[in-house]
Amino acid sequence: MKMIEPSLLSLNKDKAQEQLKQIQALGIKYVHYDVMDGKFVPPTSYTTEYLKDLEQLGILPNVHLMVQDVEQWIDKYKDFKVNSITFHAETQDVDRAIELINKIHKMGCLAGISVKPETDLNQYQELLGECDIVLIMSVNPGWGGQGFVDSAMINLVKATQAKALYPKLIIQIDGGINFDYIKKLHSQVDWFVTGSWFFKNIDHMGQYLDEFKKLTNN
Ligand code: DX5
Ligand code: ZN
């Protein structure tokens, strides 16, 4: 099912609980959970913060690992209810990436691979048949609030071609997304991640979500 997925990276820490309840009240069932290690990307973010709160609210995280040592980070989510775990394909060779996808599946989660805007997605064809989600980064990973990088459209086209081969593949896009991009890309993209636009407009999100439902016939 197509969805708009708020990125908790843009959550206002001073009113986090209030905003999480707002997300729940909007009927949102999944949020995007950005994990950064200070190695694969310069900043660090959270590891397991808010996960228990989300569980209580009946919201499932889609974990986006922007980390170098993927396996040791995957292990941190074993005891939490997590919908999916996505890691960056650039951090692994193909055989190792397949092992990690299998490991994520054994945890009962959907598995995804992600690529930066300048990475050629086609070099990971073999992985696209093994995983559930392909996360197309439309900014360079590491920070919220950046502008959409147009060259990401090349990977989006490649992901759409892969979906023709693997119809169950979920195409997720992340970075610089606002409602204009959602309107433009809704036929190709399944999951739209949005951080700064979502939280800036959280008080009006009910209307946007209604419009999104009409747009995507959800
Ligand atoms: C960026 C993160 C994104 C980020 C998106 O590295 O992976 O998920 O939170 O934020 P916006 O929507 O502000 O670009
Ligand atoms: Zn992300």
Side-chain angles (χ1 to χ4, degrees), residues 49-99:
E49 216 178 329
Y50 308 122
L51 291 182
K52 283 285 162 208
D53 301 313
L54 291 173
E55 207 167 312
Q56 276 172 8
L57 292 167
I59 297 171
L60 285 168
N62 288 310
V63 175
H64 175 195
L65 293 178
M66 287 168 276
V67 304
Q68 196 62 43
D69 308 313
V70 175
E71 183 160 21
Q72 80 181 53
W73 284 85
I74 289 175
D75 288 337
K76 297 183 198 291
Y77 300 96
K78 273 188 177 146
D79 299 326
F80 293 94
K81 276 193 180 168
V82 165
N83 186 51
S84 68
I85 300 179
T86 292
F87 62 89
H88 273 264
E90 296 98 344
T91 62
Q92 308 295 321
D93 64 40
V94 168
D95 290 344
R96 188 76 192 109
I98 290 175
E99 283 171 21

Side-chain angles (χ1 to χ4, degrees), residues 154-209:
I154 301 170
N155 277 335
L156 184 56
V157 169
K158 291 171 184 170
T160 311
Q161 288 163 349
K163 197 174 166 114
L165 288 176
Y166 311 112
K168 283 188 187 158
L169 186 66
I170 294 163
I171 301 181
Q172 184 177 27
I173 198 156
D174 180 10
I177 295 297
N178 57 33
F179 209 67
D180 289 335
Y181 283 107
I182 291 173
K183 282 193 279 194
K184 189 172 152 194
L185 302 175
H186 71 87
S187 53
Q188 292 110 291
V189 172
D190 298 300
W191 296 357
F192 288 94
V193 176
T194 158
S196 42
W197 174 75
F198 183 95
F199 284 96
K200 249 180 235 156
N201 295 286
I202 191 166
D203 293 335
H204 311 285
M205 205 39 71
Q207 290 149 253
Y208 284 115
L209 292 178

Side-chain angles (χ1 to χ4, degrees), residues 97-115:
I98 290 175
E99 283 171 21
L100 292 172
I101 290 168
N102 290 337
K103 181 175 171 122
I104 296 168
H105 281 154
K106 278 192 193 126
M107 287 165 67
C109 303
L110 298 175
I113 58 155
S114 181
V115 285

Side-chain angles (χ1 to χ4, degrees), residues 5-10 32-36 41 46 64 66 88 114 135 137-148 173-178 193-198:
E5 193 191 318
S7 166
L8 296 195
L9 200 60
S10 295
H32 186 78
Y33 193 84
D34 285 308
V35 179
M36 305 183 191
V41 289
Y46 33 68
H64 175 195
M66 287 168 276
H88 273 264
S114 181
L135 195 174
M137 287 300 299
S138 39
V139 295
N140 283 310
W143 299 270
Q146 306 179 75
F148 189 97
I173 198 156
D174 180 10
I177 295 297
N178 57 33
V193 176
T194 158
S196 42
W197 174 75
F198 183 95

